[in-house]
Amino acid sequence: NHLWRSLFPQNPIHSRARRTAYWGLTMLAVLAAWVPFRAADLSSLLERLAVLLGMQPMHSSGGDRLLYHAACALAANGLTALRAAVDRVFAESCVLRPQDAEQLAQALMSAGLQACQERGAYKELSGPVVRGDAKTVAMHRAALHKVAPDLDSVYRALMSQALLLASARGVPEHMLSAVRAALSPELH
């Protein structure tokens, strides 16, 4: 409060806003003094501050920071880009009204993320790759190539990852080989 009064000595306003500002500065000063006093070291100080601000502290174990950042980019930016691709393909399909397509995309992506969190990605994989349905994969690629040829590489990359999940799940190799062939760059 003394700092506030020294910064604004001529301000005679005794309003609710000023009292709130005084209270806020007092609380900030208390926190600034209390948190460091209670912390054993800088790491625990930062952790306490994060918790006070409603954050979830996470601890680094060293490792490869560039790969860590790539994972963050895939999780945030990759998912955003995937959603844009999904919306684009739904729009090109002309099967659903835009609001229905948006609702379906949201439901499918949310359910997929939730299932992966609860049970793990390889257990939740469904669709033509895990069924070994190379014909459907090839037809998807042909349809994409007609309206959005730039998304063929996105489809191939994602379905290649699905192949790895399907393999980990125990899908027979002969089924995976057929899908792998349907995902070859030459085929569209």
Side-chain angles (χ1 to χ4, degrees), residues 61-123:
S61 58
D64 189 328
R65 292 285 189 164
L66 194 54
L67 282 177
Y68 162 82
H69 191 257
C72 291
L74 282 169
N77 310 124
L79 189 60
T80 302
L82 176 60
R83 175 58 193 265
V86 168
D87 290 345
R88 184 172 156 205
V89 175
F90 269 138
E92 290 288 345
S93 76
C94 299
V95 171
L96 298 172
R97 295 178 305 164
Q99 63 269 29
D100 293 337
E102 184 177 321
Q103 186 177 3
L104 180 57
Q106 186 65 36
L108 289 170
M109 294 181 83
S110 294
L113 285 173
Q114 183 68 33
C116 286
Q117 181 180 4
E118 291 171 2
R119 293 175 289 283
Y122 83 94
K123 291 180 182 176

Coordinates of all heavy atoms in Angstrom, one line a residue, residues 61-123:
S61 N 13.1 -34.7 -17.4 CA 14.1 -35.7 -17.0 C 15.3 -35.6 -18.0 O 16.0 -36.5 -18.2 CB 13.5 -37.1 -17.1 OG 13.0 -37.4 -18.3
G62 N 15.5 -34.4 -18.5 CA 16.5 -34.2 -19.5 C 16.0 -34.6 -20.9 O 15.0 -34.1 -21.3
G63 N 16.8 -35.5 -21.5 CA 16.3 -36.0 -22.8 C 16.5 -35.0 -24.0 O 17.2 -34.0 -23.9
D64 N 15.9 -35.3 -25.1 CA 16.0 -34.6 -26.3 C 15.0 -33.5 -26.4 O 13.8 -33.8 -26.7 CB 16.0 -35.5 -27.5 CG 16.3 -34.9 -28.8 OD1 16.1 -33.7 -29.0 OD2 16.8 -35.6 -29.7
R65 N 15.3 -32.2 -26.2 CA 14.4 -31.1 -26.2 C 13.8 -30.9 -27.6 O 12.7 -30.5 -27.7 CB 15.1 -29.8 -25.7 CG 15.5 -29.8 -24.3 CD 14.3 -29.6 -23.5 NE 14.7 -29.4 -22.1 CZ 13.9 -29.0 -21.2 NH1 12.6 -28.6 -21.5 NH2 14.3 -28.8 -20.0
L66 N 14.6 -31.2 -28.7 CA 14.0 -31.0 -30.0 C 12.9 -32.0 -30.3 O 11.9 -31.6 -30.9 CB 15.2 -31.1 -31.0 CG 14.9 -30.6 -32.4 CD1 14.3 -29.2 -32.4 CD2 16.1 -30.7 -33.3
L67 N 13.1 -33.2 -29.9 CA 12.1 -34.2 -30.1 C 10.9 -33.9 -29.2 O 9.7 -34.1 -29.6 CB 12.6 -35.6 -29.7 CG 13.4 -36.3 -30.8 CD1 13.9 -37.7 -30.3 CD2 12.7 -36.5 -32.1
Y68 N 11.1 -33.4 -28.0 CA 10.0 -33.0 -27.1 C 9.2 -31.9 -27.8 O 8.0 -32.0 -27.9 CB 10.6 -32.5 -25.8 CG 9.7 -31.6 -25.0 CD1 8.7 -32.2 -24.2 CD2 9.7 -30.2 -25.1 CE1 7.8 -31.4 -23.5 CE2 8.9 -29.4 -24.4 CZ 7.9 -30.0 -23.5 OH 7.1 -29.2 -22.8
H69 N 9.9 -30.9 -28.4 CA 9.2 -29.8 -29.1 C 8.4 -30.3 -30.3 O 7.3 -29.9 -30.6 CB 10.1 -28.7 -29.5 CG 9.4 -27.5 -29.9 ND1 9.3 -27.1 -31.2 CD2 8.7 -26.5 -29.2 CE1 8.6 -26.0 -31.3 NE2 8.3 -25.6 -30.1
A70 N 9.0 -31.3 -31.0 CA 8.4 -31.9 -32.2 C 7.1 -32.6 -31.8 O 6.1 -32.5 -32.4 CB 9.3 -32.8 -32.9
A71 N 7.1 -33.3 -30.6 CA 5.9 -33.9 -30.1 C 4.8 -32.9 -29.8 O 3.7 -33.1 -30.1 CB 6.3 -34.8 -28.9
C72 N 5.3 -31.8 -29.2 CA 4.3 -30.7 -28.8 C 3.7 -30.2 -30.1 O 2.5 -29.9 -30.2 CB 5.0 -29.6 -28.1 SG 5.5 -30.0 -26.4
A73 N 4.5 -30.0 -31.1 CA 4.0 -29.4 -32.4 C 3.0 -30.4 -33.1 O 2.0 -30.0 -33.6 CB 5.2 -29.1 -33.3
L74 N 3.4 -31.7 -33.0 CA 2.5 -32.7 -33.6 C 1.1 -32.7 -32.8 O 0.1 -32.8 -33.4 CB 3.1 -34.1 -33.6 CG 4.1 -34.4 -34.6 CD1 4.9 -35.7 -34.3 CD2 3.4 -34.5 -36.0
A75 N 1.2 -32.7 -31.5 CA 0.0 -32.7 -30.7 C -0.9 -31.5 -30.9 O -2.1 -31.7 -31.0 CB 0.4 -32.8 -29.2
A76 N -0.3 -30.4 -31.0 CA -1.1 -29.1 -31.1 C -1.3 -28.8 -32.6 O -2.5 -28.8 -33.1 CB -0.5 -28.0 -30.3
N77 N -0.3 -28.5 -33.2 CA -0.4 -28.0 -34.6 C -0.8 -29.1 -35.6 O -1.6 -28.9 -36.5 CB 0.9 -27.4 -35.1 CG 1.5 -26.4 -34.1 OD1 2.6 -26.5 -33.7 ND2 0.7 -25.4 -33.8
G78 N -0.3 -30.3 -35.3 CA -0.7 -31.4 -36.2 C -2.2 -31.8 -36.1 O -2.8 -32.0 -37.1
L79 N -2.7 -31.7 -34.9 CA -4.1 -32.0 -34.7 C -4.9 -30.9 -35.3 O -6.0 -31.2 -35.9 CB -4.4 -32.2 -33.2 CG -5.8 -32.6 -32.9 CD1 -6.1 -34.0 -33.5 CD2 -6.0 -32.7 -31.4
T80 N -4.5 -29.7 -35.2 CA -5.2 -28.6 -35.8 C -5.2 -28.7 -37.3 O -6.2 -28.5 -38.0 CB -4.6 -27.2 -35.4 OG1 -4.6 -27.1 -34.0 CG2 -5.3 -26.0 -36.0
A81 N -4.1 -29.0 -37.9 CA -4.0 -29.2 -39.3 C -4.8 -30.4 -39.8 O -5.5 -30.4 -40.8 CB -2.5 -29.4 -39.8
L82 N -4.8 -31.5 -39.0 CA -5.6 -32.6 -39.3 C -7.1 -32.2 -39.3 O -7.9 -32.6 -40.2 CB -5.4 -33.8 -38.3 CG -6.2 -35.0 -38.5 CD1 -6.0 -35.6 -39.9 CD2 -5.9 -36.0 -37.4
R83 N -7.5 -31.5 -38.3 CA -8.9 -31.1 -38.3 C -9.3 -30.2 -39.5 O -10.4 -30.4 -40.1 CB -9.2 -30.3 -37.0 CG -10.6 -29.7 -36.9 CD -11.7 -30.8 -37.0 NE -13.0 -30.2 -37.2 CZ -13.8 -30.0 -36.2 NH1 -13.5 -30.2 -34.9 NH2 -15.0 -29.5 -36.4
A84 N -8.4 -29.4 -39.9 CA -8.7 -28.6 -41.1 C -8.8 -29.5 -42.3 O -9.7 -29.3 -43.2 CB -7.6 -27.5 -41.3
A85 N -8.0 -30.5 -42.4 CA -8.1 -31.5 -43.5 C -9.4 -32.2 -43.5 O -10.0 -32.4 -44.5 CB -6.9 -32.4 -43.5
V86 N -9.8 -32.7 -42.3 CA -11.0 -33.4 -42.1 C -12.2 -32.5 -42.6 O -13.1 -33.0 -43.3 CB -11.2 -33.9 -40.7 CG1 -12.6 -34.4 -40.4 CG2 -10.2 -35.0 -40.4
D87 N -12.2 -31.3 -42.1 CA -13.3 -30.4 -42.5 C -13.3 -30.1 -44.0 O -14.4 -30.1 -44.6 CB -13.1 -29.0 -41.8 CG -13.3 -29.1 -40.3 OD1 -13.9 -30.1 -39.8 OD2 -12.9 -28.1 -39.6
R88 N -12.2 -30.0 -44.6 CA -12.1 -29.8 -46.1 C -12.7 -31.0 -46.8 O -13.4 -30.9 -47.8 CB -10.6 -29.6 -46.4 CG -10.4 -29.3 -47.9 CD -9.0 -28.8 -48.1 NE -8.6 -29.1 -49.5 CZ -7.4 -29.3 -49.9 NH1 -6.4 -29.3 -49.0 NH2 -7.2 -29.5 -51.2
V89 N -12.3 -32.2 -46.4 CA -12.8 -33.4 -47.1 C -14.3 -33.6 -46.9 O -15.0 -34.0 -47.8 CB -12.0 -34.7 -46.6 CG1 -12.5 -36.0 -47.2 CG2 -10.5 -34.5 -47.0
F90 N -14.8 -33.4 -45.6 CA -16.2 -33.4 -45.4 C -16.9 -32.4 -46.4 O -17.9 -32.7 -46.9 CB -16.6 -33.1 -44.0 CG -16.6 -34.3 -43.1 CD1 -16.1 -34.2 -41.8 CD2 -17.3 -35.4 -43.5 CE1 -16.2 -35.3 -40.9 CE2 -17.4 -36.5 -42.6 CZ -16.8 -36.5 -41.4
A91 N -16.4 -31.2 -46.5 CA -17.0 -30.2 -47.3 C -17.0 -30.7 -48.8 O -18.0 -30.5 -49.5 CB -16.3 -28.9 -47.2
E92 N -15.9 -31.2 -49.2 CA -15.8 -31.7 -50.6 C -16.8 -32.9 -50.9 O -17.3 -33.1 -52.0 CB -14.4 -32.1 -51.0 CG -13.4 -31.0 -51.1 CD -13.6 -30.1 -52.3 OE1 -14.3 -30.6 -53.2 OE2 -13.1 -29.0 -52.3
S93 N -17.1 -33.7 -49.8 CA -17.9 -34.9 -50.0 C -19.4 -34.5 -50.3 O -20.1 -35.2 -50.9 CB -17.9 -35.8 -48.8 OG -18.6 -35.2 -47.7
C94 N -19.8 -33.3 -49.8 CA -21.2 -32.8 -49.9 C -22.2 -33.8 -49.4 O -23.4 -33.8 -49.9 CB -21.5 -32.5 -51.4 SG -20.4 -31.2 -52.1
V95 N -21.9 -34.6 -48.5 CA -22.8 -35.6 -47.9 C -23.6 -35.0 -46.8 O -24.8 -35.3 -46.7 CB -22.1 -36.9 -47.4 CG1 -23.0 -37.8 -46.6 CG2 -21.4 -37.6 -48.6
L96 N -23.0 -34.2 -46.0 CA -23.6 -33.6 -44.8 C -23.7 -32.1 -44.9 O -22.9 -31.5 -45.6 CB -22.9 -33.9 -43.5 CG -22.7 -35.4 -43.2 CD1 -21.8 -35.6 -42.0 CD2 -24.1 -36.0 -42.8
R97 N -24.7 -31.5 -44.2 CA -24.7 -30.0 -44.1 C -23.5 -29.6 -43.3 O -23.0 -30.4 -42.5 CB -25.9 -29.6 -43.3 CG -27.3 -29.9 -44.0 CD -28.4 -29.4 -43.2 NE -28.4 -30.1 -41.9 CZ -29.1 -29.7 -40.9 NH1 -29.9 -28.7 -40.9 NH2 -29.0 -30.3 -39.7
P98 N -22.9 -28.4 -43.6 CA -21.7 -28.0 -42.9 C -21.7 -28.1 -41.4 O -20.8 -28.6 -40.8 CB -21.5 -26.5 -43.3 CG -22.2 -26.5 -44.7 CD -23.4 -27.4 -44.5
Q99 N -22.8 -27.7 -40.8 CA -22.9 -27.8 -39.3 C -22.9 -29.3 -38.8 O -22.4 -29.6 -37.8 CB -24.1 -27.0 -38.7 CG -25.4 -27.5 -39.2 CD -25.9 -26.8 -40.4 OE1 -25.2 -26.4 -41.3 NE2 -27.2 -26.7 -40.5
D100 N -23.5 -30.2 -39.6 CA -23.5 -31.6 -39.2 C -22.1 -32.2 -39.4 O -21.7 -33.0 -38.6 CB -24.6 -32.4 -40.1 CG -26.0 -31.9 -39.7 OD1 -26.2 -31.4 -38.6 OD2 -26.9 -32.1 -40.6
A101 N -21.5 -31.8 -40.5 CA -20.1 -32.3 -40.7 C -19.2 -31.9 -39.6 O -18.4 -32.6 -39.1 CB -19.6 -31.8 -42.1
E102 N -19.3 -30.6 -39.2 CA -18.5 -30.1 -38.1 C -18.8 -30.8 -36.8 O -17.9 -31.2 -36.1 CB -18.8 -28.6 -37.9 CG -17.9 -27.9 -36.9 CD -18.2 -26.5 -36.7 OE1 -18.4 -25.8 -37.8 OE2 -18.1 -26.0 -35.6
Q103 N -20.0 -31.1 -36.5 CA -20.4 -31.8 -35.3 C -19.9 -33.3 -35.4 O -19.4 -33.8 -34.4 CB -21.9 -31.9 -35.2 CG -22.4 -32.5 -33.9 CD -23.9 -32.4 -33.8 OE1 -24.6 -31.9 -34.6 NE2 -24.4 -32.9 -32.6
L104 N -19.9 -33.9 -36.5 CA -19.4 -35.3 -36.7 C -17.9 -35.3 -36.5 O -17.4 -36.2 -35.8 CB -19.8 -35.9 -38.0 CG -19.4 -37.3 -38.3 CD1 -19.9 -38.3 -37.2 CD2 -19.8 -37.8 -39.7
A105 N -17.2 -34.4 -37.1 CA -15.8 -34.3 -37.0 C -15.4 -34.1 -35.6 O -14.5 -34.8 -35.1 CB -15.2 -33.2 -37.9
Q106 N -16.0 -33.2 -34.9 CA -15.7 -33.0 -33.5 C -16.0 -34.2 -32.6 O -15.1 -34.6 -31.8 CB -16.6 -31.8 -32.9 CG -16.2 -31.4 -31.5 CD -14.8 -30.9 -31.4 OE1 -14.3 -30.2 -32.3 NE2 -14.1 -31.2 -30.3
A107 N -17.1 -34.9 -32.9 CA -17.4 -36.1 -32.1 C -16.4 -37.2 -32.4 O -16.0 -37.9 -31.4 CB -18.8 -36.6 -32.5
L108 N -16.1 -37.4 -33.6 CA -15.1 -38.5 -34.0 C -13.7 -38.2 -33.4 O -13.1 -39.1 -32.8 CB -15.0 -38.7 -35.5 CG -16.2 -39.3 -36.2 CD1 -16.1 -39.2 -37.7 CD2 -16.4 -40.7 -35.8
M109 N -13.3 -37.0 -33.5 CA -11.9 -36.7 -33.0 C -11.9 -36.7 -31.5 O -10.9 -37.2 -30.9 CB -11.4 -35.4 -33.6 CG -11.2 -35.5 -35.1 SD -10.6 -33.9 -35.9 CE -8.9 -34.1 -35.5
S110 N -12.9 -36.2 -30.9 CA -12.9 -36.2 -29.4 C -13.0 -37.6 -28.9 O -12.3 -37.9 -27.9 CB -14.1 -35.4 -28.9 OG -14.0 -34.0 -29.2
A111 N -13.9 -38.4 -29.5 CA -14.0 -39.8 -29.0 C -12.7 -40.6 -29.2 O -12.3 -41.3 -28.3 CB -15.1 -40.5 -29.7
G112 N -12.0 -40.3 -30.3 CA -10.7 -41.0 -30.6 C -9.7 -40.6 -29.6 O -9.0 -41.4 -29.0
L113 N -9.6 -39.3 -29.3 CA -8.6 -38.8 -28.3 C -8.9 -39.4 -26.9 O -8.0 -39.8 -26.2 CB -8.6 -37.3 -28.2 CG -7.9 -36.6 -29.4 CD1 -8.0 -35.1 -29.3 CD2 -6.4 -37.0 -29.4
Q114 N -10.2 -39.4 -26.5 CA -10.6 -39.9 -25.2 C -10.3 -41.4 -25.1 O -9.8 -41.8 -24.1 CB -12.1 -39.6 -25.0 CG -12.6 -40.1 -23.6 CD -12.1 -39.2 -22.5 OE1 -11.8 -38.0 -22.7 NE2 -11.8 -39.8 -21.4
A115 N -10.6 -42.1 -26.1 CA -10.3 -43.6 -26.1 C -8.8 -43.9 -26.0 O -8.4 -44.8 -25.3 CB -10.9 -44.2 -27.4
C116 N -8.0 -43.1 -26.7 CA -6.6 -43.3 -26.7 C -6.1 -43.0 -25.3 O -5.2 -43.7 -24.8 CB -5.9 -42.3 -27.7 SG -6.0 -42.9 -29.4
Q117 N -6.6 -41.9 -24.6 CA -6.2 -41.6 -23.3 C -6.6 -42.7 -22.3 O -5.8 -43.1 -21.4 CB -6.8 -40.3 -22.8 CG -6.4 -39.9 -21.5 CD -7.0 -38.6 -21.0 OE1 -7.9 -38.0 -21.7 NE2 -6.7 -38.1 -19.9
E118 N -7.8 -43.3 -22.5 CA -8.2 -44.3 -21.5 C -7.6 -45.7 -21.8 O -7.3 -46.4 -20.8 CB -9.8 -44.4 -21.7 CG -10.5 -43.2 -21.1 CD -12.0 -43.2 -21.4 OE1 -12.5 -44.2 -22.0 OE2 -12.6 -42.2 -21.1
R119 N -7.4 -46.1 -23.0 CA -7.0 -47.4 -23.3 C -5.8 -47.6 -24.1 O -5.3 -48.7 -24.3 CB -8.2 -48.2 -24.0 CG -9.4 -48.4 -23.0 CD -10.6 -49.0 -23.7 NE -11.3 -48.1 -24.6 CZ -12.1 -47.1 -24.3 NH1 -12.3 -46.8 -23.1 NH2 -12.7 -46.4 -25.3
G120 N -5.3 -46.5 -24.7 CA -4.1 -46.6 -25.5 C -4.4 -46.6 -27.0 O -5.4 -47.2 -27.4
A121 N -3.5 -46.0 -27.8 CA -3.8 -45.8 -29.2 C -4.0 -47.2 -30.0 O -4.9 -47.3 -30.7 CB -2.7 -45.0 -29.8
Y122 N -3.1 -48.1 -29.8 CA -3.1 -49.3 -30.6 C -4.4 -50.1 -30.3 O -4.9 -50.9 -31.1 CB -1.8 -50.1 -30.5 CG -1.7 -51.0 -29.3 CD1 -2.1 -52.4 -29.4 CD2 -1.3 -50.6 -28.1 CE1 -2.0 -53.2 -28.3 CE2 -1.2 -51.4 -27.0 CZ -1.6 -52.7 -27.1 OH -1.5 -53.6 -26.0
K123 N -4.9 -50.1 -29.1 CA -6.1 -50.8 -28.7 C -7.4 -50.2 -29.3 O -8.4 -50.9 -29.5 CB -6.3 -50.9 -27.2 CG -5.2 -51.7 -26.5 CD -5.5 -51.7 -25.0 CE -4.4 -52.5 -24.3 NZ -4.6 -52.5 -22.8

